[in-house]
């Protein structure tokens, strides 16, 4: 991800109130050097997947919303819409970032739960603050398969399965206002059991 680290740092440094950034390909190249021809020819190059360039903007808490390859322009948006905890907002904090347990407490967590994307974002922020290099961040909104967070520090590699905590209501807008029949604690036990099984396997 070294080639695109300056893009990651640029996006991570955008003010919190900024939810969208439009950049020309020339502006991106001013940060990272020459883009490969596929960036100008194929929309898939800008996909929010596990490719090295996507890892850079996703680790900064952003995603590609749209690309106009004829105009040579890309639009980035905050990856967690309406959330105040984007991934790695400041990739190199000057002080240690609090452990995830201390920043996951929220007055809205009982009703709204802890969405997996938010848990993943806070984890990545913490790891970056502790000197880990993020190699991969899975797109939880599309239920992307594979390791949720892959990070390295020195000769150590960390592979993380991320689980959120369910809320009492459905996140699906079509079922907004409905209360889930299963208690959040029961549902959470199933999720965590899956994570433990995956770790054992």
């Amino acid at each position: 991800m070294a080639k695109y680290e300056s893009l990651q740092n640029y996006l991570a440094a955008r003010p919190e109130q900024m939810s969208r950034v439009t950049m020309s390909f020339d502006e991106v190249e001013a940060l990272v050097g020459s883009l490969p021809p596929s960036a100008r020819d194929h929309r898939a190059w800008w996909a929010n997947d596990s490719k090295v360039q996507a890892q850079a903007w996703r680790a900064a808490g952003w995603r590609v919303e749209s690309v106009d390859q004829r105009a040579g322009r890309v639009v980035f948006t905050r990856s967690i819409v309406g959330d105040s905890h984007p991934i790695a907002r400041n990739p190199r904090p000057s002080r240690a970032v609090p452990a995830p347990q201390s920043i996951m407490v929220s007055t809205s967590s009982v009703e709204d739960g802890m969405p997996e994307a938010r848990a993943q974002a806070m984890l990545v922020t913490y790891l970056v603050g502790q000197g880990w290099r993020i190699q991969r961040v899975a797109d939880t909104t599309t239920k992307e398969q594979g390791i949720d967070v892959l990070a390295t520090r020195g000769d150590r590699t960390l592979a993380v399965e991320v689980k959120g905590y369910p809320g009492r209501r459905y996140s699906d807008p079509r079922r907004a206002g409905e209360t889930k029949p299963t208690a959040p604690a029961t549902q959470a036990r199933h999720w965590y059991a899956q994570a433990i099984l995956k770790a054992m396997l």
Side-chain angles (χ1 to χ4, degrees):
M1 194 162 57
K3 175 178 171 67
Y4 300 100
E5 194 167 5
S6 55
L7 175 61
Q8 175 183 334
N9 293 341
Y10 173 81
L11 290 171
R14 297 309 88 203
E16 293 182 21
Q17 65 271 22
M18 186 179 290
S19 61
R20 179 177 279 108
V21 172
T22 301
M23 298 180 73
S24 68
F25 289 179
D26 290 342
E27 289 173 322
V28 175
E29 287 184 322
L31 292 171
V32 305
S34 297
L35 291 171
S38 55
R40 298 179 183 277
D41 298 334
H42 303 292
R43 173 63 181 85
W45 192 91
W46 298 96
N48 298 297
D49 53 21
S50 57
K51 291 193 293 291
V52 65
Q53 65 272 17
Q55 290 177 36
W57 60 70
R58 288 174 57 195
W62 294 77
R63 63 187 293 114
V64 171
E65 178 184 68
S66 63
V67 179
D68 185 337
Q69 285 166 307
R70 286 188 178 182
R73 186 170 54 247
V74 58
V75 178
F76 296 97
T77 57
R78 295 275 183 193
S79 63
I80 304 176
V81 180
D83 194 289
S84 60
H85 302 282
I87 297 174
R89 186 178 293 140
N90 181 359
R92 284 192 177 82
S94 56
R95 59 180 177 80
V97 179
Q101 296 91 326
S102 65
I103 57 177
M104 286 174 67
V105 176
S106 168
T107 55
S108 64
S109 61
V110 174
E111 290 297 323
D112 302 332
M114 171 63 68
E116 189 169 307
R118 179 190 280 182
Q120 182 187 58
M122 290 192 294
L123 170 66
V124 170
T125 299
Y126 174 73
L127 290 175
V128 170
Q130 297 300 306
W132 290 83
R133 290 180 60 86
I134 307 302
Q135 304 298 324
R136 179 183 197 277
V137 179
D139 187 349
T140 60
T141 58
T142 61
K143 301 187 185 302
E144 182 181 354
Q145 296 297 307
I147 298 168
D148 290 335
V149 177
L150 186 65
T152 57
R153 185 172 66 180
D155 60 352
R156 298 181 65 194
T157 299
L158 181 67
V160 183
E161 173 77 10
V162 177
K163 293 296 179 189
Y165 191 86
R168 291 179 179 160
R169 297 187 182 90
Y170 291 98
S171 57
D172 185 340
R174 294 169 297 183
R175 305 188 73 176
E178 290 184 46
T179 301
K180 293 180 180 177
T182 307
T186 302
Q187 193 174 1
R189 276 195 284 271
H190 290 286
W191 290 358
Y192 296 148
Q194 292 170 5
I196 291 168
L197 176 61
K198 191 164 186 178
M200 292 171 66
L201 291 172

